[in-house]
Amino acid sequence: MSNKDRLVERALAKMRARDVLDADEEAVFRGALGDLREIPAGRTFVRAGENLTHSILLLDGIACRYKDLAGGERQIMELHVGGDFVDLHGFLLKRLDHNIGSMTPILIATVPHERLREITRSHPHLARLLWLSTLIDAAIHRERILSIGRRDAVGRIAHLFCEMAVRMEVIGLAEGGRYRLPITQGDIADTTGLTPVHVNRMLKKLRDEGLLTFRGGEVTVGDRERLAREAEFDPAYLNLEREPR
Amino acid sequence: MSNKDRLVERALAKMRARDVLDADEEAVFRGALGDLREIPAGRTFVRAGENLTHSILLLDGIACRYKDLAGGERQIMELHVGGDFVDLHGFLLKRLDHNIGSMTPILIATVPHERLREITRSHPHLARLLWLSTLIDAAIHRERILSIGRRDAVGRIAHLFCEMAVRMEVIGLAEGGRYRLPITQGDIADTTGLTPVHVNRMLKKLRDEGLLTFRGGEVTVGDRERLAREAEFDPAYLNLEREPR
DNA sequence: CGACTATTTGACGCCAGTCAACACCGGTGG
DNA sequence: CCACCGGTGTTGACTGGCGTCAAATAGTCG
């Protein structure tokens, strides 16, 4: 199995976690993927307002959706990991309302919109699964609204790490409550609507209480039970049940 | 034209604002709608976790998506107006991650999931427009994340009213910067991640500066230009451009 | 080693939250 | 007709969680 095939498995694993894919559908999905591209860390590779003709599947590395305000304040809407179809939204929106950037070196595959359109004509069930993946993005957005709107600083951070743990497990990149998340405390601040200084303080608190350690881009969950309670984390919104869609 | 037909026009108007629908597609859409139901104000009519077999199109009145934390704090994710397909997300998610409630007396139409599935098989372009409407929900969610995460209290409130003005205009319920939005200051607080008391103070500020008046569920935009500037409001995320999807 | 970025910690300030009292308004029932 | 009531809106005094500013300490890469 080539490296590409192995990485594409992550995207398939995500879909298989939610429904059964037949061999034809898997083949069509693989066939839709175009060129691979490597992008270094810290690049904005899709910009708000650009006209899009291709969507992008993230194969490896960490990326994010974000928007800025005029004063330079950045808000990250969602973190993305291998297997996430990061700008599938652009297929029908035609132009994104936000930017997409790489937080680490990443590997992506492009998918022409025309091929996605063809899938909606010839493979409605596969199309529904693609649709579903954008619905799960929306569910993740809603959970973030709840976090930023109503959870306190510790709860927001705890919730983010709970979510990423589950999403990493789905693609086989987390086990035993450990996973790599090579981002900075400033990135966490931009995701949780806090400042880097306050994130630092709350991370210390979580560490001191034995709930979680975040160091050198490595997350170690110390006490999953208590962390989830602190965050009021319920993974239901990630829709990890295999059923006919 | 019956009352129902007139209200269904709002949903069609929303789609027509984004793409061209042919007569067949309009007929199929109308045909998909089942029974009408009236629901009084203040009811939660779809609950998180319920198994769903139908989706709901909001025809008239105001509804919202919301989640609560254990302590009783409520966060409203999105306000909905006539023509919004409020729980289309449930079609593929099967169970919602959040609740949907009526903020005023509302009129809804139910749509069996089976009929939606049939549309994805027989009318791929119409299906893409339904998909698009959920993508716009996601875009609205992202803008709310930005608001709550990085805008100050005045900016959040100003932004909300800018957004609702545009969305009301699309369905013909706002003109000259005036529209009815019969919700309470507490509801605005739950939407913007603030407290009712602080919302009250900021509304006074907006009123004193002549930007906006909110009284008795009636919104009057005093100075649209300055309000939009205060909110850093750019309607691009609402995707109001008619093009082939 | 030097330049740079990320992390850590402390002191202080402010925006928004909390608490509380009062006004207003529509509805209800005596 | 008025007393009452619950929900909503308004305002003031005070508090606190998080932001800001600043400086010192790691860690990393040429």
Side-chain angles (χ1 to χ4, degrees):
Chain A
M1 187 185 277
S2 77
N3 191 43
K4 175 179 176 181
D5 285 344
R6 207 168 39 74
L7 291 171
V8 171
E9 275 297 307
R10 291 180 180 166
L12 292 171
K14 281 187 58 191
M15 286 195 274
R16 289 192 204 108
R18 276 106 184 180
D19 195 358
V20 176
L21 281 169
D22 67 31
D24 180 41
E25 287 168 339
E26 293 205 2
V28 169
F29 181 78
R30 287 179 191 279
L33 304 180
D35 305 337
L36 295 200
R37 247 175 73 207
E38 286 182 39
I39 296 176
R43 300 293 170 82
T44 296
F45 57 97
V46 183
R47 285 183 192 279
E50 277 178 351
N51 286 314
L52 303 172
T53 56
H54 297 253
S55 282
I56 288 174
L57 176 67
L58 180 60
L59 291 175
D60 199 28
I62 309 282
C64 72
R65 307 174 186 278
Y66 71 93
K67 288 190 185 192
D68 296 307
L69 288 181
E73 304 90 339
R74 160 166 308 192
Q75 179 65 44
I76 293 176
M77 276 78 200
E78 192 177 359
L79 294 179
H80 284 289
V81 300
D84 286 355
F85 216 144
V86 280
D87 82 339
L88 183 50
H89 294 245
F91 163 43
L92 295 177
L93 292 175
K94 298 303 165 199
R95 282 170 292 285
L96 287 188
D97 51 282
H98 56 280
N99 307 298
I100 303 185
S102 56
M103 322 206 53
T104 67
I106 60 173
L107 186 66
I108 63 174
T110 60
V111 185
H113 287 173
E114 186 43 47
R115 232 172 273 187
L116 292 170
R117 198 170 295 115
E118 184 52 37
I119 287 174
T120 68
R121 285 189 285 255
S122 61
H123 291 77
H125 177 250
L126 179 57
R128 289 197 298 272
L129 291 181
L130 294 175
W131 184 354
L132 174 65
S133 91
T134 64
L135 294 176
I136 293 171
D137 283 328
I140 290 171
H141 291 347
R142 285 188 289 271
E143 197 62 36
R144 187 148 316 286
I145 292 171
L146 177 62
S147 259
I148 302 182
R150 296 299 184 205
R151 276 188 253 259
D152 65 14
V154 180
R156 293 182 210 180
I157 295 171
H159 193 278
L160 177 63
F161 285 118
C162 286
E163 174 182 309
M164 295 312 293
V166 172
R167 290 171 58 192
M168 287 293 192
E169 275 160 9
V170 172
I171 55 170
L173 290 183
E175 45 178 58
R178 290 179 71 99
Y179 57 96
R180 296 221 69 227
L181 190 69
I183 64 178
T184 68
Q185 295 184 4
D187 296 328
I188 295 172
D190 287 343
T191 308
T192 52
L194 299 165
T195 55
V197 173
H198 203 61
V199 166
N200 182 278
R201 289 192 270 247
M202 298 301 105
L203 284 174
K204 176 171 165 51
K205 193 175 174 197
L206 287 167
R207 201 184 319 126
D208 289 348
E209 292 177 356
L211 298 190
L212 176 107
T213 306
F214 175 74
R215 265 196 48 190
E218 179 95 16
V219 181
T220 309
V221 177
D223 186 333
R224 186 152 194 167
E225 182 87 15
R226 281 205 300 144
L227 187 68
R229 204 172 327 128
E230 184 73 40
E232 293 194 32
F233 177 73
D234 173 356
Y237 72 99
L238 294 172
N239 231 256
L240 290 167
E241 278 158 35
R242 192 176 292 122
E243 46 182 300
R245 310 274 181 176
Chain B
M1 187 185 276
S2 76
N3 191 43
K4 175 179 177 180
D5 286 343
R6 207 168 38 74
L7 291 171
V8 171
E9 275 298 306
R10 291 180 181 168
L12 292 170
K14 280 187 58 190
M15 286 195 273
R16 289 194 205 107
R18 276 104 183 180
D19 195 358
V20 177
L21 280 169
D22 67 30
D24 180 39
E25 287 167 338
E26 294 205 1
V28 167
F29 181 78
R30 287 179 191 280
L33 305 180
D35 304 337
L36 295 200
R37 247 174 74 205
E38 287 182 37
I39 296 177
R43 300 292 170 83
T44 297
F45 57 97
V46 183
R47 286 183 191 278
E50 277 178 351
N51 286 313
L52 303 173
T53 56
H54 296 252
S55 282
I56 288 174
L57 176 67
L58 179 61
L59 290 176
D60 198 28
I62 309 282
C64 72
R65 306 173 186 277
Y66 72 92
K67 288 191 186 193
D68 296 307
L69 288 180
E73 304 89 341
R74 158 166 309 191
Q75 180 64 46
I76 292 176
M77 276 78 199
E78 192 177 358
L79 294 180
H80 284 289
V81 300
D84 286 356
F85 217 145
V86 280
D87 81 340
L88 183 51
H89 295 246
F91 163 44
L92 295 177
L93 293 176
K94 298 304 167 197
R95 282 169 293 284
L96 288 188
D97 51 283
H98 56 280
N99 307 298
I100 303 185
S102 56
M103 322 203 55
T104 67
I106 61 173
L107 187 65
I108 63 173
T110 60
V111 185
H113 287 172
E114 186 43 47
R115 233 173 274 186
L116 293 170
R117 198 170 296 115
E118 185 52 38
I119 287 175
T120 67
R121 285 189 286 255
S122 61
H123 291 78
H125 177 249
L126 178 57
R128 290 197 298 274
L129 291 182
L130 294 176
W131 183 354
L132 174 65
S133 90
T134 64
L135 295 176
I136 294 171
D137 284 327
I140 291 171
H141 290 349
R142 285 189 289 272
E143 197 62 38
R144 187 148 315 286
I145 292 171
L146 177 62
S147 260
I148 302 182
R150 296 298 184 205
R151 278 189 251 260
D152 66 13
V154 181
R156 293 182 209 179
I157 295 171
H159 193 280
L160 176 64
F161 285 118
C162 286
E163 173 182 310
M164 295 312 293
V166 173
R167 289 171 58 192
M168 287 292 190
E169 274 160 10
V170 173
I171 55 170
L173 290 184
E175 46 177 57
R178 290 179 70 98
Y179 57 97
R180 296 221 68 225
L181 190 68
I183 64 177
T184 68
Q185 295 184 2
D187 297 328
I188 296 172
D190 287 343
T191 308
T192 52
L194 299 165
T195 55
V197 173
H198 203 59
V199 166
N200 182 277
R201 288 192 270 247
M202 298 301 105
L203 284 174
K204 176 170 165 52
K205 193 175 174 196
L206 287 167
R207 202 184 319 127
D208 290 348
E209 291 176 357
L211 298 189
L212 175 106
T213 306
F214 175 73
R215 266 196 47 190
E218 179 95 16
V219 181
T220 309
V221 177
D223 186 333
R224 186 154 196 165
E225 182 89 14
R226 280 205 301 145
L227 188 68
R229 204 171 328 127
E230 183 72 41
E232 292 194 33
F233 177 73
D234 173 357
Y237 72 99
L238 294 172
N239 232 255
L240 290 167
E241 277 158 38
R242 192 177 290 124
E243 46 183 303
R245 311 274 181 176

